[in-house]
Amino acid sequence: MARSDTSTTRVRALLEHQGHGTYAEEAGIRLKDTPQPLYQLLVLAHLLSARIRAETAVATARALFDAGMGSPRRMRDATWQERVDVLGEGGYRRYDERTSTQLGEEAELVLAEYGGDLRRMRAAADGDVDVLRSELQEMPGIGPAGADIFLREVQGIWPELSPYLDERALRGARRAHLPTDPAALADLVPREELPLLAAALVRASLRRDTADA
């Protein structure tokens, strides 16, 4: 079997085995190019970037959205204690107080700088991935890891970012014996599946059973 055929087979097995969809899908975010789901993805990226289990971060994001904090205005207008309580309920207790403060400040910045609409951030970047990554890191609590998470997930609806496969995803590719060149990996799936592939590769970097699929 040719190398490309082998890689395609491995990718399909990996996608079928991990079975969780993207992290946004796990968190109940119906991602599309509109303000609310984009903001919710930012919150999810914020939570996932902490040193905490991904399952806990996803559950906490769901809890925040279920509590009505799925828009920057609602997040900002919630009290600090209300955010702390929901973060704790989601299992985010280790970081709940600091994260509550950051989420409030982050929501305020999204409203002040972008009118609550992260598509304006995209427009300002004008297709420059490095600029967009830098702008994301201006958000309280969003560092390099959080920016990478957001960009991996959003590339399906912001195609100028594709293929966005950062070092974490490429680490999973190495573990799964797949190409480690982003363009070569992108050739193995349809463009709309790139966020799914990125999520699967990240899981492969974290769990050997996923990588061995």
Side-chain angles (χ1 to χ4, degrees), residues 140-166:
I142 300 286
D148 286 338
I149 292 165
F150 184 92
L151 296 172
R152 286 197 307 258
E153 295 271 323
V154 84
Q155 65 182 309
I157 56 173
W158 291 359
E160 70 274 16
L161 305 180
S162 301
Y164 196 88
L165 298 164
D166 63 319

Side-chain angles (χ1 to χ4, degrees), residues 10-11 29 69 74 81 130 140 199 206 210:
R10 286 176 176 159
V11 162
I29 302 169
M69 301 179 206
R74 294 293 296 275
Q81 189 61 54
D130 290 335
L206 298 172
T210 298

Side-chain angles (χ1 to χ4, degrees), residues 68-89:
M69 301 179 206
S71 72
R73 192 169 303 279
R74 294 293 296 275
M75 184 71 78
R76 182 199 63 185
D77 291 347
T79 68
W80 179 84
Q81 189 61 54
E82 286 171 340
R83 292 193 296 267
V84 167
D85 291 345
V86 177
L87 288 163
E89 290 168 9

Side-chain angles (χ1 to χ4, degrees), residues 28-201:
I29 302 169
R30 300 180 65 181
L31 193 56
K32 54 185 178 179
D33 195 26
T34 55
Q36 184 161 311
L38 289 171
Y39 171 71
Q40 290 175 355
L41 178 60
L42 181 71
V43 172
L44 176 63
H46 184 150
L47 298 176
L48 281 168
S49 64
R51 293 180 180 274
I52 198 164
R53 288 173 59 87
E55 294 85 350
T56 300
V58 167
T60 303
R62 278 184 170 273
L64 286 166
F65 305 150
D66 288 346
M69 301 179 206
S71 72
R73 192 169 303 279
R74 294 293 296 275
M75 184 71 78
R76 182 199 63 185
D77 291 347
T79 68
W80 179 84
Q81 189 61 54
E82 286 171 340
R83 292 193 296 267
V84 167
D85 291 345
V86 177
L87 288 163
E89 290 168 9
Y92 218 79
R93 294 180 184 85
R94 182 178 173 186
Y95 303 100
D96 54 359
E97 295 187 358
R98 181 182 67 182
T99 302
S100 175
T101 299
Q102 290 174 338
L103 288 173
E105 293 172 347
E106 182 179 87
E108 182 62 51
L109 184 58
V110 170
L111 289 164
E113 292 293 322
Y114 304 108
D117 187 349
L118 292 175
R119 292 177 299 182
R120 296 182 182 179
M121 179 190 290
R122 177 193 185 187
D126 194 25
D128 190 320
V129 178
D130 290 335
V131 169
L132 189 53
R133 191 172 187 268
S134 178
E135 288 299 311
L136 284 164
Q137 291 178 70
E138 294 297 318
M139 298 288 171
I142 300 286
D148 286 338
I149 292 165
F150 184 92
L151 296 172
R152 286 197 307 258
E153 295 271 323
V154 84
Q155 65 182 309
I157 56 173
W158 291 359
E160 70 274 16
L161 305 180
S162 301
Y164 196 88
L165 298 164
D166 63 319
E167 181 52 38
R168 169 67 77 176
L170 297 181
R171 196 179 309 164
R174 282 192 292 272
R175 176 171 274 191
H177 306 290
L178 288 165
T180 55
D181 174 69
L185 280 168
D187 285 342
L188 299 175
V189 296
R191 186 184 63 80
E192 63 270 15
E193 287 190 3
L194 272 172
L196 182 62
L197 174 61
L201 292 173

